[in-house]
Amino acid sequence: QVQLQESGPGLVKPSQTLSLTCTVSGDSISSGSYYWTWIRQPAGEGLEWIGRIYTSGSTIYNPSLKSRVTISLDTSNNVFSLKLTSVTAADTAVYYCARAGLTNFDSWGQGTLVTVSS
Amino acid sequence: QSALTQPASVSGSPGQSITISCTGTSSDVGGFDYVSWYQQHPGKAPKLIIYDVNKRPSGVSNRFSGSKSGNTAALTISGLQAEDEADYYCNSYTSSSTWVFGGGTKLTVL
């Protein structure tokens, strides 16, 4: 059974870069069967899809975040990562990594809270 | 891309049935049979309960069912139970090869 676990700093200063890693176990991110995605949820608000990466390294991002987001793969360590630049308080949220088929997100990490504050 | 439209809240008594709607456009909900639904309890990660409009993952109760007509999808929960009290989110694939979520619906079991 696949498991995903987010990790990274819980506090980031405004204007700096948010960096998170998702460690995958029970599946290979290079298998070619799934997309690897990031989703976030501000406190008390809904889910927002951030972007996805495929085994080939091809990426697609939410248009509203595209200019600030980079998702990458490290197949040797079976992890994928998120970088979000020029963060503001509006980027404070619980960040989830998830495995996705074309049509759904079938496995999720537990989520990690990232707070943007000086 | 704009979020799909869901009612902010719905409620029902134990044993009753409720339906949550999810309205999009012909570029997302109406254009693909790729609507999925997620249940989220407080402090927990979302859980997939319906995919491809009306399919249930293994282990999900058959009290949960999905449907779609035009640009609007719906999640129906029958035989409401106290444990169904949670937030529910719809999601759709889009013509831009992205995904978009609904704003979420809080279900209260009275």
Side-chain angles (χ1 to χ4, degrees):
Chain A
Q1 180 175 342
V2 65
Q3 291 187 313
L4 299 93
Q5 177 68 58
E6 306 87 352
S7 60
L11 180 64
V12 181
K13 289 181 167 48
S15 80
Q16 293 192 342
T17 296
L18 179 160
S19 297
L20 294 174
T21 295
C22 182
T23 300
V24 179
S25 57
D27 192 6
S28 170
I29 63 172
S30 56
S31 68
S33 301
Y34 295 98
Y35 299 96
W36 304 95
T37 73
W38 288 96
I39 294 159
R40 70 180 183 179
Q41 184 173 35
E45 298 185 25
L47 300 167
E48 179 179 33
W49 176 73
I50 298 171
R52 73 170 192 235
I53 189 165
Y54 190 57
T55 304
S56 62
S58 66
T59 54
I60 294 184
Y61 302 126
N62 185 323
S64 67
L65 298 169
K66 185 177 181 179
S67 64
R68 300 194 291 130
V69 174
T70 302
I71 297 175
S72 59
L73 286 174
D74 178 355
T75 55
S76 60
N77 290 305
N78 215 40
V79 304
F80 64 104
S81 300
L82 168 71
K83 289 190 186 302
L84 181 65
T85 62
S86 304
V87 297
T88 70
D91 295 309
T92 294
V94 174
Y95 284 76
Y96 295 99
C97 58
R99 186 181 76 170
L102 180 63
T103 71
N104 64 84
F105 308 96
D106 68 346
S107 299
W108 297 64
Q110 65 185 27
T112 188
L113 174 63
V114 179
T115 301
V116 178
S117 174
S118 55
Chain B
Q1 57 189 29
S2 298
L4 307 176
T5 300
Q6 298 181 233
S9 64
V10 298
S11 62
S13 299
Q16 289 186 329
S17 295
I18 63 95
T19 296
I20 299 171
S21 61
C22 170
T23 302
T25 69
S26 58
S27 295
D28 39 62
V29 174
F32 307 90
D33 286 337
Y34 292 161
V35 176
S36 54
W37 289 90
Y38 302 84
Q39 176 191 61
Q40 185 180 36
H41 287 108
K44 300 294 187 182
K47 173 190 173 185
L48 176 67
I49 56 173
I50 294 287
Y51 67 99
D52 294 357
V53 176
N54 56 16
K55 298 185 173 80
R56 279 189 311 275
S58 174
V60 173
S61 172
N62 59 8
R63 298 185 299 104
F64 294 91
S65 62
S67 62
K68 192 187 86 166
S69 178
N71 295 337
T72 298
L75 171 71
T76 298
I77 308 174
S78 59
L80 267 181
Q81 299 179 1
E83 67 205 48
D84 299 331
E85 185 161 296
D87 294 327
Y88 292 84
Y89 294 90
C90 61
N91 178 274
S92 177
Y93 187 70
T94 81
S95 59
S96 300
S97 301
T98 61
W99 285 295
V100 62
F101 283 98
T105 298
K106 181 177 179 60
L107 169 62
T108 299
V109 180
L110 302 171

